[in-house]
Amino acid sequence: MGPITSSWSFNKFFAIVFVVFAISGEFVAGYYRPGPWKYAHATFYGDETGSETMGGACGYGNLFNSGYGVATAALSTTLFKDGYGCGQCFQITCMKSPHCYYGNPSTVVTATNLCPPNWYQDSNNGGWCNPPRTHFDMAKPAFMKLANWRAGIIPVAYRRVACQRSGGMRFQFQGNAYWLLIFVMNVGGAGDIKSMAVKGSRTNWISMSHNWGASYQAFSSLYGQSLSFRVTSYTTGQTIYAWNVAPANWSAGKTYKATANFR
């Protein structure tokens, strides 16, 4: 393409770029947009209280305290992506089943856990989360918004949607004097994280490595320094900065709230 020499050409070029990104269903004008509808199946685990869904492979701990409640799901390996799928939000609709509630309702869930493969069962008869199947093992209260729980398993349509979060990201601190482990929660927009870095008030930016689930680690001594974080989305590649999240007297076991978040 040659140089853009007129306002008409520029506007046309901008419109084309906008349409391309809108069709991709990901990141437009600073906001995450819904992706295309796809097909999968869904089951449920636990009971109506959601107690068995607490914790999970993403490391969010008590999901009520973390802000996710029981609108959650465990993802099959294909969707979990070694933990990079943690925090993503999915709109799920019951499809083509006599057990679907009237009007084929939908609900939005956050990925908080892994549904592991079961190689002792056939992928089409019990091994629902075996690769390469795309599957959602939902918290029972979330499943019950779609269909009668006695169905056990239902066909669904799903799509990625923006995670609507209140306030900024939350950073839960773990580790010790020489190892900082951070669990990141309440992530908006695409909901996921590709990479992180931490900056102490007396250091440059220090890259953090992916530990597991939604946790990232740095092998540095950062006690006595206020801490800031640089967070990059796995899906969109957008990077935002959360400045001065934790005070100099931060401690392991506490959760600190930022004002910054993805949209």
Side-chain angles (χ1 to χ4, degrees), residues 1-130:
M1 178 181 292
I4 299 172
T5 57
S6 71
S7 60
W8 179 87
S9 297
F10 177 82
N11 290 338
K12 183 178 180 182
F13 174 76
F14 181 83
I16 291 172
V17 171
F18 184 88
V19 170
V20 168
F21 278 90
I23 291 174
S24 71
E26 292 189 353
F27 189 60
V28 181
Y31 289 83
Y32 183 79
R33 295 291 184 260
W37 287 99
K38 301 178 182 179
Y39 297 97
H41 286 80
T43 49
F44 67 87
Y45 69 115
D47 58 19
E48 287 84 350
T49 68
S51 59
E52 292 183 40
T53 67
M54 299 298 109
C58 291
Y60 294 136
N62 185 310
L63 298 178
F64 292 104
N65 294 340
S66 302
Y68 301 116
V70 292
T72 62
L75 305 182
S76 61
T77 304
T78 302
L79 292 170
F80 191 72
K81 300 174 184 174
D82 293 325
Y84 291 106
C86 287
Q88 293 179 351
C89 295
F90 298 86
Q91 182 181 7
I92 302 177
T93 301
C94 187
M95 296 285 291
K96 300 177 181 179
S97 169
H99 299 284
C100 294
Y101 290 141
Y102 179 77
N104 298 99
S106 66
T107 191
V108 175
V109 296
T110 300
T112 60
N113 204 354
L114 168 68
C115 180
N118 184 351
W119 299 115
Y120 294 101
Q121 293 185 302
D122 185 88
S123 296
N124 295 312
N125 186 23
W128 309 122
C129 291
N130 294 349

Side-chain angles (χ1 to χ4, degrees), residues 140-152:
K140 190 174 182 180
F143 184 94
M144 291 172 64
K145 290 186 176 182
L146 304 179
N148 189 314
W149 65 269
R150 291 182 175 83

Side-chain angles (χ1 to χ4, degrees), residues 155-173:
V156 297
Y158 76 95
R159 64 175 179 170
R160 289 277 307 279
V161 294
C163 297
Q164 304 295 330
R165 305 297 184 211
S166 176
M169 292 181 290
R170 301 173 189 170
F171 299 81
Q172 184 187 84
F173 282 48

Side-chain angles (χ1 to χ4, degrees), residues 196-211:
M196 282 183 59
V198 60
K199 184 184 185 309
S201 51
R202 299 191 300 271
T203 71
N204 293 320
W205 286 105
I206 301 169
S207 295
M208 305 180 74
S209 59
H210 185 218
N211 185 291

Side-chain angles (χ1 to χ4, degrees), residues 194-249:
K194 177 183 180 182
S195 61
M196 282 183 59
V198 60
K199 184 184 185 309
S201 51
R202 299 191 300 271
T203 71
N204 293 320
W205 286 105
I206 301 169
S207 295
M208 305 180 74
S209 59
H210 185 218
N211 185 291
W212 58 278
S215 68
Y216 288 78
Q217 62 190 358
F219 294 90
S220 301
S221 178
L222 294 167
Y223 273 136
Q225 301 181 59
S226 59
L227 300 183
S228 303
F229 295 95
R230 184 177 68 210
V231 184
T232 299
S233 167
Y234 178 82
T235 297
T236 69
Q238 182 190 15
T239 296
I240 60 175
Y241 292 82
W243 296 103
N244 300 316
V245 172
N249 63 344

